[in-house]
């Protein structure tokens, strides 16, 4: 019995398509709802009624069975943790990439993410059996091209 289900948003207006496999959700101060879509490698942004506001593509996957987790900083930057890429991407609310973060020693299935403040993240690094605290202020001071270079081994 699904009395608690009040609605679902699996259909996105054409030509945008359909949400494939949602795996993360975050809600900003304006009550916009961010949903990560593993199948389509997208971030979808909805208004509170379920109407699509915008979307953007994520970088291609590097591994199998990725999961994409989301968090919002208090100043409304979207933090995207992508298990297939072992990276964390930081976006402005409009979808423009600010930069990319990696942990010392790399991630191995970062399955949870929380913005402690505008300057710090807490990441659950599942298969490395640790919690990682990352400084956002360093990445936010870089240009996206510099951040992408610094994230490659």
């Amino acid at each position: 019995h699904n009395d608690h289900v009040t609605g679902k948003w699996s259909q996105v207006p054409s030509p945008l398509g359909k949400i494939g496999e949602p795996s993360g959700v975050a809600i900003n101060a304006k009550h916009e709802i961010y949903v990560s879509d593993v199948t389509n490698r997208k971030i979808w942004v909805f208004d509170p009624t379920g109407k699509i506001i915008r979307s953007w593509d994520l970088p291609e996957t590097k591994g199998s069975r990725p999961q994409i987790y989301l968090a919002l900083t208090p100043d409304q930057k979207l933090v995207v943790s992508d298990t297939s890429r072992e990276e964390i991407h930081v976006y402005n609310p409009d979808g423009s990439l600010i930069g990319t973060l990696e942990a010392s020693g790399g991630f191995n299935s970062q399955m949870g993410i929380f913005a402690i403040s505008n300057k710090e993240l807490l990441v659950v690094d599942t298969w490395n059996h640790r919690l990682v605290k990352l400084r956002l202020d360093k990445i936010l001071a870089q240009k996206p091209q510099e951040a992408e270079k610094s994230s490659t081994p």
Side-chain angles (χ1 to χ4, degrees), residues 9 31 33 46-52:
W9 305 334
H31 304 284
I33 301 151
F46 298 91
D47 72 11
T49 68
K51 180 182 174 194
I52 187 76

Side-chain angles (χ1 to χ4, degrees), residues 36-62:
S36 60
D37 181 347
V38 172
T39 304
N40 294 309
R41 303 291 302 166
K42 277 190 176 301
I43 298 295
W44 301 96
V45 186
F46 298 91
D47 72 11
T49 68
K51 180 182 174 194
I52 187 76
I53 299 170
R54 63 188 168 279
S55 67
W56 66 85
D57 294 327
L58 295 172
E60 288 299 316
T61 185
K62 285 186 178 177

Side-chain angles (χ1 to χ4, degrees), residues 86-88 90 99-103 107 121 134-136 139:
E86 298 181 0
E87 297 170 340
I88 293 173
V90 183
T100 301
L101 293 165
E102 282 189 335
F107 289 119
L121 294 175
L134 296 174
R135 299 223 18 202
L136 269 175
I139 193 71

Side-chain angles (χ1 to χ4, degrees), residues 136-151:
L136 269 175
D137 53 343
K138 289 183 180 180
I139 193 71
L140 299 180
Q142 296 179 357
K143 294 177 183 169
Q145 298 85 358
E146 293 171 356
E148 298 241 355
K149 286 179 192 171
S150 70
S151 71

Side-chain angles (χ1 to χ4, degrees), residues 55-89:
S55 67
W56 66 85
D57 294 327
L58 295 172
E60 288 299 316
T61 185
K62 285 186 178 177
S64 62
R65 298 296 304 149
Q67 293 299 310
I68 303 168
Y69 298 96
L70 305 177
L72 280 161
T73 62
D75 64 355
Q76 305 302 290
K77 290 180 177 56
L78 183 69
V79 182
V80 178
S81 174
D82 185 342
T83 60
S84 78
R85 297 183 65 85
E86 298 181 0
E87 297 170 340
I88 293 173
H89 306 282

